[in-house]
């Protein structure tokens, strides 16, 4: 009984390895698609994250924007596998297009980013201490998050490639080179 389960697990592991290698080789062929590897995992978990200033105050001026970009990049020292693909800072909100590995909860990542970028600007820019006189920081509660996924063209290419493989297999001709005498 135990041996049967062990053999089944081995076959399943071999199949999963084959399947992951197949998908990896397919996505390697698509231009511009960078996938990330971890132990037994291939992923590309991208998010568009937006949050606003508290009371929607228009405080993110030129100097504050530049300082926030520096602080965002400093956060990567502690979490180097988080990757900012694009940073956009408007006068009263921030847009991040970023890659967060699957081992992190998005809520924890956003919490870390918001808490680490809230204190420092308030200490550096004195006008922020007058605007936000309490200890609650400069960011409003909550955020918006949207998963960025593979586009439809990639899926179409994948499905088309599968159809071509099936047709190629059907066109194979097997010829016998040996004769059997009875």
């Amino acid at each position: 009984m135990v041996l049967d389960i062990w053999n089944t697990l081995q076959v399943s592991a071999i199949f999963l390895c084959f399947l992951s290698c197949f998908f990896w080789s397919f996505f390697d062929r698509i231009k511009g698609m960078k996938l990330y590897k971890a132990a037994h995992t291939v992923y590309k978990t991208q998010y568009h994250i937006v949050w606003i200033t508290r009371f929607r105050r228009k405080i993110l001026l030129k100097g504050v924007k530049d300082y926030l970009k520096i602080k965002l990049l400093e956060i990567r020292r502690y979490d180097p596998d988080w990757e900012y693909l694009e940073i956009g800072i408007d006068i009263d909100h921030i847009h991040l297009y970023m890659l967060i590995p699957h081992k992190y909860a998005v809520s924890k990542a956003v919490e870390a980013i918001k808490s680490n970028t809230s204190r420092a600007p308030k200490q550096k820019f004195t006008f922020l201490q007058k605007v936000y006189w309490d200890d609650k920081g400069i960011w409003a509660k909550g955020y918006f998050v949207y998963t960025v996924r593979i586009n439809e063209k990639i899926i179409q290419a994948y499905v088309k490639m599968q159809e071509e493989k099936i047709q190629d297999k059907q066109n194979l001709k097997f010829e016998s080179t040996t004769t059997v005498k009875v």
Side-chain angles (χ1 to χ4, degrees), residues 35-47 81-83 98-109:
L35 296 177
Y36 300 84
K37 289 183 180 180
H40 309 289
T41 311
V42 177
Y43 67 92
K44 187 171 186 175
T45 49
Q46 300 174 64
Y47 300 96
D81 42 353
W82 295 356
E83 185 176 335
M98 67 182 296
L99 185 127
I100 302 171
H102 62 284
K103 65 182 178 179
Y104 297 102
V106 178
S107 60
K108 294 294 182 187

Side-chain angles (χ1 to χ4, degrees), residues 104-119:
Y104 297 102
V106 178
S107 60
K108 294 294 182 187
V110 173
E111 178 185 352
I113 293 169
K114 284 175 68 175
S115 65
N116 287 312
T117 57
S118 184
R119 288 182 293 250

Side-chain angles (χ1 to χ4, degrees), residues 20-35 42 150-151 154-155 158 161:
S20 67
C21 291
F22 171 75
F23 283 118
W24 185 256
S25 65
F26 167 72
F27 286 120
D28 268 350
R29 289 186 230 152
I30 298 172
K31 291 182 181 179
M33 177 121 180
K34 181 180 178 186
L35 296 177
V42 177
I150 299 174
N151 68 25
I154 292 174
I155 294 171
Y158 175 74
M161 187 178 85

